[in-house]
Amino acid sequence: ISVNVGDTITIKNADTVSHTFTSGNPSDDQIGTEFNSGIISSGTGTTWTPTNSGEFPYFDRLHP
């Protein structure tokens, strides 16, 4: 998706198991520098407001 700096992104977990929303790639030495939700339980969610522009890969730390 394309968003603007300052927009609020809502991440919802509609799955039956927990997940994370973490910036980077599983093979990176450093991950989560732009965002790292921590564990998002089933049926819950979180938000992220970008403060930098660019492209940000992301993955689930629990299920990479």
Side-chain angles (χ1 to χ4, degrees):
I1 64 171
S2 295
V3 298
N4 297 310
V5 171
D7 287 351
T8 298
I9 310 306
T10 301
I11 298 92
K12 294 182 180 179
N13 182 0
D15 200 356
T16 58
V17 296
S18 297
H19 295 286
T20 72
F21 178 62
T22 305
S23 65
N25 292 295
S27 60
D28 291 348
D29 289 335
Q30 197 169 23
I31 58 171
T33 56
E34 286 297 324
F35 49 85
N36 187 6
S37 67
I39 294 174
I40 305 171
S41 299
S42 176
T44 66
T46 190
T47 61
W48 172 57
T49 303
T51 57
N52 296 308
S53 61
E55 292 186 13
F56 304 106
Y58 63 92
F59 70 104
D60 175 0
R61 293 182 72 181
L62 300 177
H63 309 102

